[in-house]
Amino acid sequence: MAITLPPPLPTPEPIEEPEPSHRDFSDPLGVRLGTPSRLAWLKELKIDTQVGTIWLGFWGVLSTLLFVAGVFVMLLAGLDQVGGSPADLVKYFANVQLLPPDTLGLAPSLRGGGYWQIVLLFWAGSTLAWAGRCWERLRRHRWRPFLLFAWLSAVFLTACIWVFHPILMHTWADAPALGLNSDLDWAQNFSVLWGNLYYNPWHQLAIFFLFGSTMLWGMHGATILATSSEGSHHEDAEIKTLSSGSQKSMLFWRWTMGFNATPKNIHDWLWWYAVLTVIVSGIGILSTGTVTTDWYVWGVDHGTVQQYGPITRDAINHIPRPMPPLPAPGGYIPAPGK
């Protein structure tokens, strides 16, 4: 009688231990937080199951401390607005906002923009310190600085909104207040104030790169998933040594799109599309109020927007005209001054 053996137990995935650089040992803050472990349920989501460790270093520790300090000041300012009640802070958290000062220079008081300036300083220090962490890690591993440039491009857009554009407008009040609803209100009001930001050509270019990024990410993911049975999902190895998976993924792309893409240049395209999204957005912010005070007027003058009906130039420029007196129900029109 044949004996049926039970199937072999699955071999557990090995923990990928961190490989510290020799320079890490000379850094008193070159510490790694946590221990490597696995979360099995992440495998169902097709995500790498290992969690930990994370390396901080001097710049990472500094960035974290500045971030925590900024959050602490925001909570203090929120408590100040709700009379010191933690329950009210939680209840009205979405409406709590830290307003910027009305003019350039130091705020006259904490409630008059001082909280906003303190948090902004902590934000600037934290983001720049994190850029230092990126540079330190890239330098230690002798990698190219694309991660640093991508991070700095996002910092550039944020600085254009909160720092550079208000300076050009000669008032901190042009920057968004710090808060959930206030940030959304600023995004809407900024567009309305300057004649609809959708007509800003730099904003249009940013939308092109944004949608292009999502399209490229979707196409790249679909290509790798379609050819993953050939091993194309091992991209780090496939980029260095092209094998069956990479060759078939390139064929799949060419047959689908009509031109070639390699495991290397597809990431070049993705990097540039993502970075240019925020760079041209920052240029669009800086050009608003400086190049033109009304993007709709600019679009009409340059032929990119069709004028809305037989409307006068004064109306386009939002110059109000005096309203004629409205007749009373009986047809009586009051005399001027009555």
Side-chain angles (χ1 to χ4, degrees):
M1 184 177 66
I3 299 176
T4 304
L5 297 177
L9 296 176
T11 304
E13 298 179 75
I15 290 289
E16 183 180 352
E17 294 290 348
E19 299 178 2
S21 168
H22 67 280
R23 295 190 179 187
D24 291 346
F25 297 107
S26 61
D27 187 347
L29 291 176
V31 296
R32 292 179 179 270
L33 301 181
T35 56
S37 59
R38 291 197 177 276
L39 298 178
W41 59 272
L42 290 177
K43 193 172 184 178
E44 303 297 328
L45 302 176
K46 308 299 182 182
I47 299 176
D48 184 24
T49 58
Q50 179 170 336
V51 178
T53 59
I54 180 172
W55 187 91
L56 284 178
F58 171 77
W59 294 108
V61 171
L62 178 60
S63 177
T64 302
L65 291 176
L66 291 173
F67 174 80
V68 172
V71 173
F72 178 72
V73 174
M74 288 191 68
L75 292 177
L76 286 181
L79 287 173
D80 189 18
Q81 291 188 24
V82 297
S85 172
D88 287 342
L89 177 61
V90 174
K91 181 178 180 180
Y92 301 108
F93 184 77
N95 294 323
V96 171
Q97 56 182 355
L98 279 62
L99 296 173
D102 293 333
T103 59
L104 289 180
L106 293 177
S109 64
L110 288 176
R111 295 182 178 179
Y115 286 124
W116 183 90
Q117 289 186 334
I118 293 173
V119 173
L120 192 68
L121 287 175
F122 282 134
W123 160 80
S126 179
T127 54
L128 293 178
W130 197 261
R133 177 186 183 275
C134 291
W135 170 253
E136 189 176 43
R137 299 308 296 159
L138 295 169
R139 179 177 59 84
R140 290 186 179 187
H141 291 282
R142 298 180 181 178
W143 291 344
R144 301 173 73 184
F146 286 98
L147 177 62
L148 174 65
F149 293 150
W151 175 256
L152 290 179
S153 65
V155 174
F156 168 73
L157 172 59
T158 314
C160 288
I161 296 174
W162 265 275
V163 181
F164 300 148
H165 189 260
I167 291 176
L168 292 176
M169 296 294 101
H170 307 290
T171 174
W172 291 120
D174 195 75
L178 298 176
L180 294 181
N181 288 346
S182 58
D183 187 71
L184 299 175
D185 291 341
W186 176 88
Q188 172 184 277
N189 296 337
F190 187 85
S191 179
V192 173
L193 177 64
W194 303 108
N196 198 332
L197 205 61
Y198 289 139
Y199 301 138
N200 184 332
W202 293 103
H203 183 275
Q204 297 169 4
L205 195 59
I207 294 299
F208 165 79
F209 285 121
L210 176 63
F211 289 177
S213 297
T214 58
M215 181 194 70
L216 285 176
W217 275 114
M219 294 170 64
H220 174 52
T223 302
I224 298 303
L225 289 175
T227 57
S228 59
S229 60
E230 306 290 341
S232 61
H233 56 292
H234 300 293
E235 292 183 81
D236 53 346
E238 293 279 326
I239 290 175
K240 297 177 182 179
T241 304
L242 293 180
S243 60
S244 176
S246 295
Q247 297 290 349
K248 292 186 178 181
S249 66
M250 288 187 285
L251 280 175
F252 183 82
W253 183 285
R254 188 186 301 118
W255 294 341
T256 305
M257 298 299 298
F259 64 95
N260 202 5
T262 68
K264 168 64 168 60
N265 64 26
I266 183 61
H267 292 90
D268 292 334
W269 300 342
L270 286 168
W271 187 88
W272 275 110
Y273 267 65
V275 167
L276 287 175
T277 298
V278 289
I279 289 179
V280 298
S281 295
I283 298 175
I285 294 294
L286 295 180
S287 60
T288 300
T290 55
V291 174
T292 179
T293 58
D294 193 308
W295 284 112
Y296 172 69
V297 174
W298 186 93
V300 171
D301 291 341
H302 290 80
T304 62
V305 180
Q306 187 171 358
Q307 185 172 312
Y308 297 151
I311 189 171
T312 65
R313 170 61 61 172
D314 287 345
I316 293 177
N317 286 327
H318 307 294
I319 298 177
R321 292 178 295 174
M323 289 287 294
L326 297 177
Y332 168 73
I333 299 179
K338 300 292 185 182

